[in-house]
Amino acid sequence: MTPAPARVTTAATLLLNATYEPLCVVSSRRAIVLVLAEKAESVDTAAEVVHSESVSLPVPVVVRLTRYVRVPYPAQVPLSRRAVFTRDGSACVYCGSSATSIDHVVPRSRGGTHTWDNVVAACRRCNHTKADRSLAELGWKLPHPPRTPSGAAWRLLGARTVDPRWREWLGMPETVSA
Ligand SMILES: [Zn+2]
C-alpha cells in the first residue's frame, strides 16, 4: 500500500462518477489515495504537488472514478442558510453586494413560508431596509423567482461551500460579483 501523503493545502476535491456526474466532495487526501490506487483519475488539478515515497502528484481539484457506481440520492435538497447562499452565489439578490443573511421575500409576519421559493440571500442593509414590507411596497424587483434546487449536484452541495473550479462540473452559474 502507498502511504497517504502528509500535507495537502487544497482541502476538498470534487468526486465525479465515471459518467462525469458529480457524486460527492471528499478530502483531497482521500482523492489522492483513490488516484494512486487507480480507482480514480485527476480531471482538474491544483498548482501544488504532493510527494509520497514513490510518486509526485499534482493535488487533484476534481477526480473521476474509473468505474461507475450507483448511488441513491435523497429526494429534496435540505433548506439551509448555506444552501441558499450557494444557490444565490453568496450575493444579495436585491443589490448584488455580499450576502450576510436570509430574507423571506414575503415576510413571515405576512404569512410568507420558510421554503425555497420564498427565501433569498440578502445583505444586512437590504434586509434591514426591507424589514416587514413587501417588494411591491418598496418598488423592488427580484432578478428571477427563487427556485428549489434540483439535480445531483445540488443534492450533494446542500450544505457546503463551492470551490469555483467545481462549478462547470456542477452545472452551476458563475458567482455574481458585486
Ligand atoms: Zn443588498
Side-chain angles (χ1 to χ4, degrees), residues 4-27:
R7 216 166 243 288
V8 180
T9 48
T10 308
T13 301
L14 178 66
L15 179 67
L16 306 175
N17 211 337
T19 52
Y20 290 93
E21 182 193 30
L23 280 180
C24 60
V25 176
V26 297
S27 69

Side-chain angles (χ1 to χ4, degrees), residues 143-160:
H144 49 75
R147 292 197 188 89
T148 305
S150 61
W154 278 106
R155 285 169 198 142
L156 72 94
L157 283 168
R160 287 177 193 275

Side-chain angles (χ1 to χ4, degrees), residues 26-120:
V26 297
S27 69
S28 298
R29 192 184 161 88
R30 171 86 186 126
I32 289 162
V33 171
L34 288 171
V35 170
L36 291 177
E38 295 181 350
K39 288 182 177 164
E41 60 179 24
S42 289
V43 173
D44 192 7
T45 55
E48 311 100 275
V49 175
V50 71
H51 305 277
S52 79
E53 256 171 30
S54 50
V55 283
S56 296
L57 187 77
V59 175
V61 174
V62 180
V63 295
R64 169 180 170 255
L65 289 176
T66 47
R67 296 180 69 171
Y68 178 77
V69 293
R70 271 186 69 94
V71 185
Y73 290 108
Q76 274 263 314
V77 184
L79 175 58
S80 70
R81 179 189 154 98
R82 289 186 74 173
V84 172
F85 275 36
T86 302
R87 183 196 63 184
D88 295 342
S90 294
C92 174
V93 297
Y94 303 117
C95 75
S97 61
S98 194
T100 54
S101 62
I102 295 298
D103 178 57
H104 292 90
V105 179
V106 178
R108 299 209 78 177
S109 60
R110 296 191 173 190
T113 53
H114 188 64
T115 49
W116 276 109
D117 57 1
N118 193 48
V119 294
V120 291

